Amino acid sequence: MEEEKLKKEITLLGAFSTVMGTVIGAGVFFKVATVTKESGSARITLLAWLVGGLLTLCAGLTSAELATAIPKTGGAVKYIEYTYGKLWGFLLGWAQMLIYFPANIAALSIIFSTQLINLFHLKVSLLVPIAMIVGFSVTGINLLGTKVASRFQSVSLVLKLIPILLIIAVGLFKGSGETVSFIPSTLSNHSTFSRFSGALFATLFAYDGWLGVGAVAGEMKRPEKDLPKAIFLGLLFITVVYVVINYVFLKTLPIEALSGNENAASNVANVLFGEVGGKIVTLGILLSVYGALNGYTMTGIRVPYALAKENLIPGSQWLSRLSKRTKVPYMTALVQISIAFIMINLGSFDLLTDMLIFVIWLFSVMIFFAVFILRKREPELNRPYKVPFYPLIPILAILGGIFILSVTLLTQTKLALTGILITAIGIPVFYIQKNILLEENKKTSLK
């Protein structure tokens, strides 16, 4: 009864805050370097951020139909499992466990380390050691207990908005860099389209996180009404904020100074607030990154734990252990940070973010198709909310997803194939574990 009560306590405001807290993280500050490098144009840069937001909005509104029809804690894994079967739900969890969450932790640790080195003029050789210390420190916070981690997350949600709002408020009235126009240049020639597609793909890490929002549907008071509103208003607000802050970046510094510059956000802060003020704002940005890191760590350690509880992965008995004092799945936390450490040593910020975006959008496209499948297969299924302008919005989400996957396959073939291969390894693991479980059940029944 207590669990049921907890599951129905989230209001519209709470869901809206979840959308904001899940999506806004490090990407808004650090993907400007890649987006401007890919686009080579202020107008294409702004168009890429706008289209990235609209694509994410279509994706969020589409997945919301499944979230309200299947309002179970677990979100995307449950939608895919319900539509395609246990194997596919497991593969999403497997991909999240081995790629998505560790890659997020590694990428954010690297960018935190990069900014810290820039802020305090430390040796570049310290990048990896600092990144590892940062990643482990966040894991340490989560090992102290869910209450500690969740309180930290609530505080960081407020703190991460401060540097964004300060940069926007001051930047709109100061700075003189690139002449900026919201009117896009023509995308008819191949060269311009290629630059736009690369810039659009780069924005998606900043919009990442929307897929996890549906996981709270089972804990909402009125998911059928409030979840679609929270997703629409949250993602719309985020899109506006992202476009405006990038307008400020381009207004403050010329695009040549932003292109490929991992310290672009710090440099903009220095121009707008002076050296001392810039450092204070940069500290705020670091807190935003650290908060995002905490969010992915807190969520990520529960994915392999859930799989282990169902004996779906090797070492399930070991991985399903909880700390006696804090009730945190400490073994999965250690596994997650270990994988992240390997990625920190092998990858760069952009490489890691591109890999996790590719893998998560593979399953996102499956979710968009699931709306069509379930409408045909189960027309009587209770759908408190239906995606507006059906089938246009889901089709746009599918086309956007296919575009993202195609761009990655064509431009980063090895990265895409690596993501597919790691995910595919989960297929034999699933069947081996299934057979082991069947054998154990037979032995138990014979006894």
Side-chain angles (χ1 to χ4, degrees):
M1 290 298 291
E2 185 179 353
E3 185 182 5
E4 285 301 312
K5 184 181 178 182
L6 287 172
K7 284 186 177 180
K8 300 296 179 184
E9 288 186 340
I10 298 179
T11 61
L12 173 60
L13 181 61
F16 176 80
S17 300
T18 302
V19 175
M20 297 289 291
T22 305
V23 177
I24 294 178
V28 61
F29 299 113
F30 303 112
K31 274 300 179 177
V32 60
T34 311
V35 176
T36 50
K37 182 180 179 180
E38 290 288 340
S39 71
S41 158
R43 289 175 293 181
I44 295 177
T45 295
L46 294 175
L47 180 63
W49 283 103
L50 179 60
V51 173
L54 294 176
L55 172 59
T56 305
L57 192 57
C58 289
L61 290 174
T62 302
S63 66
E65 177 168 320
L66 299 180
T68 54
I70 313 166
K72 297 180 180 179
T73 301
V77 171
K78 296 299 180 183
Y79 318 152
I80 287 181
E81 185 180 301
Y82 186 90
T83 308
Y84 302 100
K86 194 79 173 177
L87 170 63
W88 291 102
F90 166 79
L91 286 178
L92 173 55
W94 175 262
Q96 288 179 327
M97 177 181 75
L98 293 181
I99 301 174
Y100 180 73
F101 285 109
N104 258 305
I105 292 164
L108 293 170
S109 297
I110 288 171
I111 204 67
F112 186 99
S113 178
T114 302
Q115 296 306 302
L116 198 69
I117 287 170
N118 175 61
L119 183 62
F120 295 107
H121 308 291
L122 304 174
K123 293 180 180 178
V124 178
S125 59
L126 293 173
L127 191 146
V128 170
I130 291 174
M132 293 176 75
I133 291 169
V134 169
F136 188 76
S137 68
V138 177
T139 299
I141 289 173
N142 279 267
L143 290 176
L144 293 175
T146 304
K147 186 178 287 187
V148 174
S150 60
R151 281 179 179 173
F152 182 81
Q153 190 66 12
S154 299
V155 172
S156 70
L157 171 59
V158 177
L159 292 176
K160 74 171 65 176
L161 293 174
I162 293 174
I164 293 174
L165 296 176
L166 281 174
I167 290 171
I168 289 175
V170 177
L172 286 174
F173 301 99
K174 287 184 67 175
S176 57
E178 187 87 345
T179 301
V180 185
S181 172
F182 282 95
I183 302 171
S185 58
T186 177
L187 298 178
S188 58
N189 66 79
H190 176 72
S191 172
T192 307
F193 183 77
S194 297
R195 288 188 286 136
F196 168 73
S197 62
L200 174 60
F201 183 79
T203 67
L204 295 175
F205 175 69
Y207 287 108
D208 180 53
W210 61 268
L211 188 57
V213 174
V216 303
E219 302 169 67
M220 293 182 67
K221 287 183 177 180
R222 301 186 305 168
E224 68 284 354
K225 292 184 179 180
D226 291 344
L227 183 61
K229 287 180 184 176
I231 290 174
F232 177 76
L233 294 173
L235 292 179
L236 184 64
F237 181 79
I238 289 165
T239 300
V240 172
V241 167
Y242 282 7
V243 171
V244 173
I245 197 171
N246 278 276
Y247 172 80
V248 168
F249 287 154
L250 291 162
K251 185 174 181 289
T252 305
L253 291 176
I255 195 167
E256 294 78 15
L258 298 171
S259 179
N261 179 7
E262 291 182 340
N263 299 310
S266 299
N267 293 346
V268 168
N270 287 336
V271 171
L272 295 177
F273 304 101
E275 189 175 347
V276 175
K279 285 187 175 182
I280 293 172
V281 172
T282 302
L283 285 172
I285 293 172
L286 285 172
L287 285 171
S288 174
V289 176
Y290 203 78
L293 192 53
N294 181 69
Y296 282 110
T297 301
M298 185 166 57
T299 308
I301 61 177
R302 283 154 178 81
V303 172
Y305 173 73
L307 296 176
K309 287 293 288 182
E310 295 185 52
N311 291 308
L312 292 174
I313 51 177
S316 289
Q317 188 174 0
W318 178 65
L319 291 170
S320 60
R321 292 178 183 175
L322 293 174
S323 166
K324 291 181 180 179
R325 187 173 63 86
T326 62
K327 303 301 180 184
V328 171
Y330 66 97
M331 297 307 297
T332 60
L334 296 177
V335 169
Q336 178 174 265
I337 194 62
S338 298
I339 298 171
F341 280 171
I342 295 170
M343 290 181 169
I344 287 171
N345 282 278
L346 296 179
S348 67
F349 174 68
D350 285 324
L351 179 70
L352 291 166
T353 54
D354 288 351
M355 178 182 282
L356 69 89
I357 287 297
F358 175 78
V359 170
I360 208 66
W361 272 88
L362 273 174
F363 290 97
S364 297
V365 171
M366 290 181 68
I367 288 172
F368 307 149
F369 273 113
V371 172
F372 292 95
I373 292 170
L374 291 179
R375 284 217 184 183
K376 185 176 182 180
R377 191 177 78 192
E378 299 182 38
E380 75 289 347
L381 180 67
N382 181 35
R383 293 175 176 84
Y385 157 84
K386 291 185 178 181
V387 58
F389 305 110
Y390 178 88
L392 179 61
I393 297 293
I395 288 173
L396 288 174
I398 290 169
L399 291 176
I402 291 172
F403 166 78
I404 292 161
L405 300 177
S406 301
V407 167
T408 315
L409 279 167
L410 291 172
T411 61
Q412 301 188 68
T413 307
K414 287 184 179 179
L415 178 145
L417 292 177
T418 300
I420 292 171
L421 178 62
I422 294 173
T423 304
I425 289 171
I427 297 173
V429 170
F430 175 81
Y431 286 109
I432 290 169
Q433 287 297 121
K434 188 177 180 180
N435 288 333
I436 290 172
L437 194 59
L438 285 171
E439 289 298 321
E440 288 178 352
N441 288 338
K442 285 180 181 178
K443 290 178 181 177
T444 304
S445 61
L446 287 173
K447 289 180 180 179

